[in-house]
Amino acid sequence: MTLLLGLLPGVHAQSTAAAKPAPAARTVLVMGDSLSAGYGLSAQQGWVALTADRIAERRPDWRVVNASISGETTAGGAARIVGELRRHRPHVVVIALGANDGLRGLPTLQTRINLARMLGAAHGAGAEVLLVGMRMPPNLGAEYTRAFEQNFSALAERFDVALLPFLLEPLALDRAAYQSDNLHPVAEAQPKLRDHVWPALAPLLD
């Protein structure tokens, strides 16, 4: 029987190819707060889940891990990122934190230090990074809101990473796009966020 199989052309090659394991998918790790965790939405409705669906269709060699936590601050993200990097070994990290720092009026310097730690950790793990910025309402004072916003652009330049300046830019002036808390976008607005993030994220998947 062994001799017969050896005489059949292609049989051995085909069996070897069939046994070859498929290459492991590369990973996009998203570390954000409730805006990325999909607060008030089903698991499939948030912009991260919608982005994962798009990636599955267009780039099946990639997967998305959403490690976002509602209420997360940059301090929480800085404390968690090394563990998440070890666990998932991502090729791309999306950092979308800072909103809760601003809403609590935390010092902008501390926010910058925490984000810098996250960026440094991601770079140390060999990952590309997309830094997603946030802006604060003017009631916090012009100096604070300016310093808060400038954190993101300054860090993106310092670490030479991709920057999306303001996650909520497509919805900023649309009251109907938000839930009753005036903070979290409704399900119908999530595709706009996905489409807003996509042009900044897609080049990192090449």
Side-chain angles (χ1 to χ4, degrees):
M1 182 67 175
T2 303
L3 178 60
L4 179 59
L5 288 175
L7 294 174
L8 293 176
V11 170
H12 179 69
Q14 290 174 5
S15 62
T16 301
K20 192 174 183 179
R26 290 179 287 178
T27 300
V28 177
L29 173 65
V30 181
M31 297 200 64
D33 48 36
S34 55
L35 296 172
S36 302
Y39 177 87
L41 310 174
S42 71
Q44 296 77 30
Q45 291 178 317
W47 74 264
V48 177
L50 296 177
T51 299
D53 291 342
R54 176 171 288 180
I55 288 176
E57 294 173 359
R58 302 184 183 184
R59 299 299 303 269
D61 54 331
W62 285 82
R63 68 177 185 133
V64 175
V65 172
N66 191 0
S68 302
I69 298 178
S70 292
E72 185 86 292
T73 61
T74 58
R80 286 197 304 122
I81 191 167
V82 171
E84 298 292 349
L85 291 169
R86 288 175 178 168
R87 187 174 299 112
H88 302 294
R89 300 186 181 279
H91 292 74
V92 173
V93 177
V94 178
I95 299 174
L97 286 168
N100 288 311
D101 294 45
L103 292 174
R104 299 176 189 184
L106 299 180
T108 57
L109 176 58
Q110 190 59 54
T111 296
R112 182 183 294 210
I113 290 171
N114 292 333
L115 289 172
R117 287 175 178 167
M118 296 187 73
L119 290 164
H123 272 183
E128 298 280 350
V129 179
L130 170 60
L131 181 60
V132 178
M134 184 55 57
R135 294 175 186 164
M136 288 294 108
N139 62 294
L140 294 174
E143 183 178 352
Y144 185 91
T145 55
R146 182 170 56 252
F148 183 90
E149 182 179 349
Q150 288 175 348
N151 268 346
F152 297 97
S153 57
L155 286 168
E157 182 177 356
R158 174 183 168 189
F159 285 89
D160 191 24
V161 300
L163 173 67
L164 184 71
F166 183 27
L167 174 63
L168 300 178
E169 185 172 359
L171 319 175
L173 301 178
D174 184 3
R175 173 62 191 88
Y178 291 87
Q179 299 176 38
S180 58
D181 60 10
N182 293 328
L183 295 173
H184 299 95
V186 297
E188 292 76 12
Q190 297 296 321
K192 291 184 179 180
L193 295 181
R194 174 203 58 198
D195 293 344
H196 181 50
V197 173
W198 183 252
L201 176 60
L204 303 183
L205 307 180
D206 291 334

